[in-house]
Amino acid sequence: MAQIIDGKAVSAAIKEQVRDEIARDNIKAGLAVVIVGNDPASRVYVNNKKKACEFCGIKSFEYALPEETTMEQLLELIDTLNADKNVNGILVQLPLPKQLDEKAVIERISPKKDVDAFHETNVGKIMIGNYSFLPCTPAGCMELIHSTGVSVAGKECVVIGRSNIVGKPMAMLLLHENGTVIVCHSKTKNLAEVCRRADILVAAVGKPNFVTADMVKEGAVVIDVGINRLENGKLCGDVKFDEVSEKASFITPVPGGVGPMTIATLMKNTLTAAKIQKNEQ
Ligand code: NAD
């Protein structure tokens, strides 16, 4: 039976470190969160980010824009936030309504304030291992892996999913720690067979209960990034928890696994941004 990796506890420890450093060094840090439209899931995420800011002593600035916001209006707001010295980090909650070009919006955010690490400058820096910020969800997954005491070096790591936000950067972070990494996606052949090679298996697919026990090696570390809402309103991950936890050595639950880590890393990135910007003044 697997040990459950407690994302709530690990994330709480990170937020406490951020809070303590901010208080100790009297750092002024500010995070602007921009939300466009009325997506209920986005609303929940934004509220959680606000609460985490309050806990850490980071000032949060929320901009809730209407669904029909134009590109011009959104870019104007980003320019204002880029120039605002009280704002160290800018986060635009995705997905955006259809009329808005997400790529252009991300590229408009100053790379120094891009605490999500989605800007192509930051993506490039991560690729070569010379970065200030790591993308929040993959960095959170790495912290959870570290919390198990299992070293990534030399391990076979399989990531299911190749999105720019999760799968690709996750693979890169595992590679930076000397894992032997395979990235699987919707066109991968013999997926179960490939997954069974994994000492460390990361699922970022977005399909409930997609990873079943027959896809998992005995003793694997299983990280479930998926957040799927079932018809009964309950949240579930990409991993069939009950059966996979019988086989894995460590496993993250959903909720309470990767989710809280994403927010904790965001707090850490905002503090890093504030420190870098302070040094540049
Ligand atoms: P995405 O839809 O952009 O990517 C999904 C990936 O899964 C794709 O690369 C696709 O190739 C792959 N895929 C789809 N069907 C497959 C199949 N049959 N076999 C193998 N691969 C397949 O999603 P995303 O943004 O990467 O998010 C993935 C999941 O993680 C979602 O459930 C999302 O809600 C969740 N998520 C959670 C957090 C968090 O904080 N915990 C953050 C971001 C995303």
Side-chain angles (χ1 to χ4, degrees), residues 3 25 28 36 43 53 85 97 176 185 222 235 260:
Q3 243 174 280
D25 298 343
K28 274 178 76 183
V36 187
R43 199 58 265 168
C53 281
K85 290 213 162 20
H176 285 327
H185 46 79
V222 178
L235 283 186

Side-chain angles (χ1 to χ4, degrees), residues 45 137 160-163 165-167 184-188 191 204-207 210 225-228 238 258-259 262:
Y45 295 142
T137 302
I160 322 175
R162 59 173 161 188
S163 70
I165 292 174
V166 189
C184 297
H185 46 79
S186 52
K187 303 281 189 294
T188 297
L191 181 70
V205 191
K207 293 189 173 163
F210 182 81
V225 184
I227 301 179
N228 308 292
D238 289 346
V258 175
T262 300

Side-chain angles (χ1 to χ4, degrees), residues 86-129:
N86 294 316
V87 171
N88 305 109
I90 302 169
L91 180 148
V92 178
Q93 186 65 46
L94 303 178
L96 290 170
K98 282 186 207 66
Q99 77 277 14
L100 300 171
D101 176 354
E102 279 184 4
K103 192 168 176 293
V105 170
I106 290 167
E107 291 315 309
R108 191 70 160 238
I109 297 171
S110 160
K112 287 179 190 166
K113 297 192 176 185
D114 169 41
V115 282
D116 260 335
F118 291 165
H119 191 286
E120 57 190 30
T121 299
N122 288 326
V123 173
K125 285 180 160 198
I126 291 156
M127 185 87 179
I128 57 170

